[in-house]
Amino acid sequence: MSAQDGEEIMARLQDDREAVVERFTPTSGRVSGWAALALSLTGVVAAVAYRDEGFPMWVGAAALLVGVLAWAAMLRPALWVTEEHLVMRNLGETVHIRLAAVEEMAVRQVLAVRAADRRLVSTVLGRTWRKTVTSRHDPSAADGPREGMGYVDWAEHRIRELVDAARERAGVTAGSREQLALPDAVRREPAPVPLALIGVAVVLLVVSFFL
């Protein structure tokens, strides 16, 4: 086998490890996010269309900033699992958490995961305050999938299932020294596009006060 063949095999294995095993549907924020985006677009269009009639430009710039923040905070977040990682795409970064390194996790108002002595949060999965309280006292909440199970309960169980399988493959247990010693437990990747858009919107808002 040539060196090139070996590189191609390693590349395919890497792609397999990063292939999406499970993608989770956001449980909140989408409707309000699209509503905020629509309102901000209305404000921007009004500022451009009625500029010559004295429409305040700072209102249009503020609407643009609100729209960018609504997209980045409510529409951009995503959550999925690959063969090796739980991936959280948040407002300004994408976080890759090694499944075997997950020490504990819980879904309350948001999904909170602890790995490498760090608490990492995703807004994609979440319960209402009332559901959070009742789930703490529900003895069946820790059971496996069952008929009538809510989506958030199923998603939490599915993530735990994938975490347990990854720990077993790595030969570690939750909170053990071996788990804490796992390399590359958490990897953060800044998201340049939303950060740049927010920066541009802020600059335009500041400039608009002088127009």
Side-chain angles (χ1 to χ4, degrees):
M1 182 176 65
S2 67
Q4 182 176 357
D5 292 336
E7 291 177 358
E8 290 178 354
I9 292 174
M10 290 300 295
R12 283 197 297 269
L13 289 174
Q14 180 66 30
D15 290 341
D16 289 341
R17 286 196 294 270
E18 295 303 318
V20 176
V21 174
E22 198 77 59
R23 190 179 295 274
F24 299 97
T25 303
T27 57
S28 63
R30 285 309 195 253
V31 174
S32 54
W34 283 112
L37 199 60
L39 287 174
S40 68
L41 180 60
T42 301
V44 172
V45 171
V48 174
Y50 299 104
R51 178 181 180 182
D52 294 337
E53 299 179 21
F55 192 95
M57 290 304 295
W58 70 265
V59 174
L64 176 62
L65 178 58
V66 169
V68 171
L69 289 174
W71 167 75
M74 291 185 273
L75 301 178
R76 184 179 186 275
L79 181 72
W80 66 91
V81 176
T82 68
E83 188 69 25
E84 298 289 341
H85 295 92
L86 173 65
V87 184
M88 298 176 174
R89 189 174 70 193
N90 297 323
L91 186 152
E93 65 177 359
T94 299
V95 184
H96 299 256
I97 307 167
R98 186 171 175 179
L99 288 169
V102 173
E103 300 164 30
E104 57 184 5
M105 59 163 283
V107 180
R108 301 289 184 250
Q109 281 81 15
V110 296
L111 167 64
V113 175
R114 186 170 183 80
D117 282 333
R118 281 176 277 183
R119 185 176 183 269
L120 305 147
V121 173
S122 171
T123 59
V124 172
L125 293 179
R127 295 185 172 95
T128 62
W129 181 84
R130 182 177 180 180
K131 181 63 176 175
T132 298
V133 172
T134 56
S135 65
R136 290 176 179 175
H137 299 90
D138 184 2
S140 64
D143 295 342
R146 62 187 184 279
E147 187 176 354
M149 172 180 273
Y151 178 76
V152 175
D153 296 326
W154 173 85
E156 181 178 12
H157 172 78
R158 178 59 173 152
I159 296 174
R160 291 185 186 279
E161 186 178 61
L162 294 168
V163 167
D164 289 342
R167 287 175 184 161
E168 185 175 353
R169 290 195 302 270
V172 299
T173 58
S176 65
R177 286 182 296 178
E178 291 79 10
Q179 184 189 47
L180 295 175
L182 288 173
D184 300 323
V186 178
R187 185 174 80 252
R188 295 177 181 269
E189 297 177 351
V193 172
L195 295 176
L197 290 175
I198 292 171
V200 169
V202 169
V203 170
L204 288 176
L205 178 60
V206 174
V207 171
S208 68
F209 287 111
F210 300 95
L211 296 178

